[in-house]
Amino acid sequence: MNRQEIMKILPHREHMLLLDEVEEEDGVAVGHYKVRGDEFFLRGHFPGNPIVPGVILCEILAQSACVLLQEAMDEGKLPVYTGLNNVKFRSPVRPGDTIETQCYIKRSKHPFYFAEGTVTVDGKLCASAEFSFAVMGE
């Protein structure tokens, strides 16, 4: 699923759509994002030593779950974070890196979904988290 297809599910747009592509493989969402270096969140984090903020890594992880919720994300639906647990940051992500996310839904009770996932670069673990969100109507 490319950016245009992702935008049919998620309401996120520039500059907050943080996925280049995402696919489902056996119930696991696998997403990718190439850190270009000109993103708004790198401008002050940190001058001369840019590192993708941890909160942005968590956002990328949550956005990658969109492919797992295609049926729940009808027109006008809005996915909102409801929690982050056991978040761990292991290695920095920098401009030029290609992020790979892997996440899956552990359980759900509509409108709530509980997921777990990882962020890696070149196979190296950068972040992991448990997270939840609700799919809200208009």
Side-chain angles (χ1 to χ4, degrees):
M1 178 179 295
N2 63 30
R3 287 177 71 84
Q4 290 302 112
E5 293 166 320
I6 293 166
M7 287 191 292
K8 291 177 183 174
I9 300 171
L10 288 179
H12 301 70
R13 297 297 181 264
E14 295 297 333
H15 297 280
M16 280 304 294
L17 181 60
L18 300 171
L19 284 175
D20 294 324
E21 61 185 22
V22 63
E23 298 298 332
E24 180 181 357
E25 298 175 5
D26 299 321
V28 177
V30 178
H32 295 97
Y33 180 73
K34 171 80 171 183
V35 182
R36 300 178 315 273
D38 63 349
E39 290 88 352
F40 73 93
F41 50 80
L42 292 174
R43 288 187 204 137
H45 198 265
F46 299 97
N49 187 22
I51 296 172
V52 177
V55 68
I56 295 295
L57 296 178
C58 292
E59 178 65 21
I60 294 169
L61 187 60
Q63 286 185 22
S64 70
C66 73
V67 73
L68 302 174
L69 300 175
Q70 291 181 67
E71 287 79 39
M73 290 298 299
D74 310 31
E75 179 100 15
K77 299 288 182 170
L78 183 69
V80 294
Y81 255 129
T82 56
L84 280 163
N85 296 308
N86 299 317
V87 180
K88 294 185 175 50
F89 302 107
R90 305 286 187 193
S91 184
V93 177
R94 301 181 185 282
D97 288 344
T98 298
I99 293 169
E100 180 175 287
T101 62
Q102 291 193 13
C103 66
Y104 65 96
I105 304 297
K106 291 179 9 179
R107 68 188 204 294
S108 65
K109 183 172 183 180
H110 188 74
F112 298 100
Y113 296 84
F114 303 87
E116 192 170 298
T118 59
V119 175
T120 60
V121 171
D122 294 328
K124 185 174 186 177
L125 182 63
C126 298
S128 60
E130 296 172 3
F131 56 100
S132 59
F133 47 96
V135 176
M136 309 297 290
E138 288 190 69

